[in-house]
Amino acid sequence: MQQSANLAVLEATVKRVDEENGQLRGRMSRLEAMLRAFASTTDRWARQMHRAGIEPEPPHPLVDEYNRTGV
């Protein structure tokens, strides 16, 4: 009897964790897409500034790392 109850609790927990994981994966995917779009936009703005003879401020080290690695 106790083993059945423990199994039911475990199955409910696994189901809840799977649902949360799916939601988090969706949010992460959306965040990564937004980051790529933002990086592309700021790159375009920086190129426009260079063409206009305006030197933009250097990027934050994390931005520089993302531009180098894509991560």
Side-chain angles (χ1 to χ4, degrees):
M1 185 62 111
Q2 181 63 37
Q3 197 170 19
S4 294
N6 289 345
L7 181 59
V9 169
L10 179 61
E11 288 173 340
T13 301
V14 167
K15 181 179 180 201
R16 180 183 54 79
V17 169
D18 282 347
E19 289 171 0
E20 289 174 0
N21 189 32
Q23 292 171 356
L24 288 172
R25 284 178 186 262
R27 290 177 66 189
M28 184 65 131
S29 178
R30 177 70 179 143
L31 180 60
E32 289 171 346
M34 192 274 310
L35 178 59
R36 284 189 300 273
F38 183 78
S40 174
T41 299
T42 55
D43 182 59
R44 189 178 71 245
W45 290 342
R47 283 184 277 123
Q48 288 173 344
M49 289 175 74
H50 282 294
R51 285 194 303 268
I54 303 168
E55 188 61 34
E57 293 288 324
H60 185 280
L62 289 175
V63 173
D64 192 43
E65 179 181 344
Y66 175 79
N67 288 336
R68 281 193 329 276
T69 65
V71 180

